[in-house]
């Protein structure tokens, strides 16, 4: 499939949003410019996960799902990439930064898409809807039983499944929605409009439900299940966050054909998203934990400017990023070897 530049712009936005969540100083006052930085927390990572589903769809045929040997090759390519992402995530965790690394969960989610690549769009969205209601209850119950805290301490597989950050039992719905979106004609203007309208509706439903629940007197056991705080992993949170991700993607697909040159640096960052994400964690490890624990928007600006500039330069002169090139080479060669 040909690259969809609007998807790269959305992915670049998500990556820079994760930078914001990690090193930006967000005010709690929404009336201030820095108050809007709160939007990045949780929602950027969810957008990143949703775009994993879009990527899986594009790797397996886009609007016309692959069949036969092409489908097998797509599954091999996705699986190989997932297998490489897990140890890469483990290396980043070993850096000891005060950042919850998404890559292990991302790897599991990406690999899981191989099972549902042939599902129609309605089935994918239906399954995502079921998960949005059932999974938060199961995950919160499991955390209570296991006594998991914000930074866990449980075996990694348990953390990946039901931990406080990126639990795959909940976050799978983002990937399912992304896979459904990737089966649409992303080049069509009507697709962008549908994503914007659908995203806006989900934002109203999710965050509106949380706002109503906050005004009610609810049993103590229910209150954690209706919060819409970042990483709450509740039904209102995941519905509202999915809406934000769809809005971001829809707007990016809408404006990119008109502002392609202006958005080229951001598209380059999205094309080198894995390299940019990993490099920013290495930079945090080098600079020290205070970069995260005592955030500064001056530091955030430096992270953003340097990353975008280097990604734009690399993309223009060398094409794929170093980690993206390695992923592509390994997955493609393995697929060709196994399915000639």
């Amino acid at each position: 499939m040909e690259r969809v530049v609007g998807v790269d712009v959305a992915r670049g936005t998500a990556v820079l949003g994760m930078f914001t969540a990690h090193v930006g100083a967000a005010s709690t006052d929404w009336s201030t410019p820095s108050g809007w930085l709160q939007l990045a927390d949780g929602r950027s990572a969810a957008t990143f996960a949703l775009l994993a589903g879009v990527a899986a769809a594009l790797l397996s045929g886009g609007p016309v799902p692959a069949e036969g040997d092409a489908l097998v090759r797509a599954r091999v390519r996705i699986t190989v990439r997932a297998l490489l992402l897990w140890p890469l995530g483990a290396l980043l965790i070993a850096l000891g930064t005060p950042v919850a690394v998404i890559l292990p969960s991302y790897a599991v989610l990406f690999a899981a898409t191989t099972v549902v690549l042939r599902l129609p769009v309605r089935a994918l969205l239906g399954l995502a809807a079921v998960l949005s209601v059932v999974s938060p209850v199961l995950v919160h119950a499991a955390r209570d039983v296991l006594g998991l805290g914000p930074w866990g301490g449980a075996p990694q597989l348990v953390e990946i499944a039901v931990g406080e950050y990126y639990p795959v039992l909940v976050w799978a719905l983002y990937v399912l929605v992304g896979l459904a979106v990737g089966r649409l004609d992303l080049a069509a203007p009507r697709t962008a409009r549908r994503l914007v309208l659908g995203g806006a509706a989900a934002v109203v439903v999710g965050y509106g439900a949380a706002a109503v629940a906050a005004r009610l007197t609810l049993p103590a056991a229910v209150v954690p299940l209706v919060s819409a705080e970042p990483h709450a992993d509740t039904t209102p949170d995941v519905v509202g966050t999915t809406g934000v991700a769809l809005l971001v993607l829809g707007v990016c697909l809408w404006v990119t054909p008109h502002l392609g040159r202006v958005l080229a640096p951001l598209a380059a960052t999205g094309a080198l998203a894995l390299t940019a994400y990993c490099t920013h964690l290495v930079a945090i490890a080098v600079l020290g934990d205070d970069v995260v624990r005592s955030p500064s928007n001056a530091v955030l600006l430096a992270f953003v400017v340097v990353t975008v500039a280097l990604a734009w330069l690399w993309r223009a002169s060398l094409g794929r990023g170093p980690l993206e090139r390695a992923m592509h080479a390994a997955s493609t060669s393995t697929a060709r070897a196994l399915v000639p």
Side-chain angles (χ1 to χ4, degrees), residues 2-319:
E2 184 179 348
R3 290 196 76 90
V4 181
V5 180
V7 173
D8 282 337
V9 172
R11 192 178 291 111
T13 303
V15 169
L16 297 184
M18 294 173 81
F19 288 12
T20 303
H22 296 157
V23 302
S27 168
T28 57
D29 184 358
W30 286 97
S31 66
T32 63
S34 62
W36 287 90
L37 296 180
Q38 296 179 72
L39 286 173
D41 195 6
R43 300 170 186 89
S44 300
T47 302
F48 199 56
L50 186 142
L51 292 171
V54 175
L58 295 178
L59 282 169
S60 57
V64 182
E67 298 180 350
D69 286 349
L71 176 61
V72 177
R73 278 192 292 270
R75 284 175 168 153
V76 172
R77 291 181 66 190
I78 292 170
T79 301
V80 170
R81 292 181 183 213
L83 290 173
L84 293 174
L85 284 171
W86 191 317
L88 181 58
L91 287 173
L92 294 175
I93 292 172
L95 294 175
T97 64
V99 172
V101 178
I102 194 175
L103 290 188
S105 293
Y106 188 96
V108 174
L109 291 169
F110 203 47
T113 63
T114 60
V115 180
V116 294
L117 287 179
R118 292 291 299 165
L119 287 183
V121 170
R122 289 186 179 181
L124 291 168
L125 294 178
L127 183 55
V130 171
L131 288 180
S132 72
V133 176
V134 176
S135 293
V137 177
L138 295 177
V139 166
H140 281 264
R143 289 174 185 171
D144 290 340
V145 170
L146 297 172
L148 296 181
W151 292 97
Q156 189 181 37
L157 284 177
V158 174
E159 288 290 336
I160 289 173
V162 298
E164 291 284 336
Y165 291 97
Y166 321 123
V168 298
L169 292 184
V170 173
W171 282 58
L173 74 90
Y174 297 127
V175 180
L176 290 170
V177 173
L179 187 56
V181 169
R183 294 301 181 210
L184 305 177
D185 181 3
L186 298 180
R190 68 178 181 276
T191 299
R193 291 194 294 269
R194 289 167 64 186
L195 293 178
V196 169
L197 293 174
V203 167
V204 171
V205 171
Y207 295 124
V212 170
R215 295 177 178 272
L216 302 177
T217 302
L218 299 172
V222 176
V223 172
L225 295 174
V226 293
S227 169
E229 292 296 314
H231 295 290
D233 295 320
T234 62
T235 298
D237 171 42
V238 297
V239 172
T241 303
T242 299
V244 172
L246 292 175
L247 267 173
V248 169
L249 178 56
V251 170
C252 291
L253 291 172
W254 199 340
V255 303
T256 297
H258 310 290
L259 300 172
R261 291 186 178 181
V262 175
L263 296 174
L266 191 55
T269 304
L272 275 72
L274 180 60
T275 297
Y277 175 81
C278 295
T279 302
H280 105 281
L281 288 177
V282 173
I284 289 173
V286 172
L287 294 172
D289 290 359
D290 284 347
V291 174
V292 176
R293 300 194 189 282
S294 301
S296 162
N297 288 331
V299 172
L300 170 61
L301 181 62
F303 267 70
V304 170
V305 170
V306 171
T307 299
V308 171
L310 291 178
W312 191 18
L313 178 62
W314 185 290
R315 182 72 176 159
S317 57
L318 298 172

